[in-house]
């Protein structure tokens, strides 16, 4: 580990908590910036996205059935496999 020598200069009892505090602060800043700079995040917490997504999910279910019905027709139009002559 190349970065293992840092513990020769910084005590682990100081460095590890500082690292975790920096990680927590960065994640809180990212989440706060998303909350304050987007319009959809607050609606998501209120449950507004669930009602909008419920209706469109039912429509695409018919598409795979139509594809399965068309599959045998496509196989009938396929070219037959080439045969090789193996007689001497």
């Amino acid at each position: 580990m190349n970065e293992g020598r840092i513990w020769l200069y910084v005590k682990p009892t100081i460095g590890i908590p500082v690292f975790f505090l920096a990680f927590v602060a960065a994640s809180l800043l990212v989440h706060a910036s998303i909350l304050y700079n987007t319009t959809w995040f607050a609606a998501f917490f209120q449950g507004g996205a669930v009602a909008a997504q419920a209706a469109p999910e039912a429509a695409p279910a018919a598409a795979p059935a139509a594809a399965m019905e068309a599959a045998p027709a496509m196989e009938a139009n396929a070219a037959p496999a080439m045969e090789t002559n193996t007689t001497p």
Side-chain angles (χ1 to χ4, degrees):
M1 177 161 89
N2 294 336
E3 293 80 18
R5 289 183 281 168
I6 193 170
W7 304 119
L8 297 175
Y9 306 103
V10 179
K11 288 184 179 181
T13 56
I14 302 293
I16 293 174
V18 168
F19 172 77
F20 284 128
L21 287 174
F23 181 79
V24 168
S27 66
L28 288 175
L29 286 173
V30 167
H31 283 84
S33 67
I34 291 173
L35 179 63
Y36 290 118
N37 294 320
T38 62
T39 57
W40 59 268
F41 200 70
F44 177 75
F45 274 155
Q46 296 298 323
V50 175
Q53 293 291 333
E57 290 179 9
M68 293 301 289
E69 291 173 4
M74 291 172 38
E75 290 174 3
N77 295 336
M82 292 183 58
E83 296 180 17
T84 58
N85 190 357
T86 59
T87 57

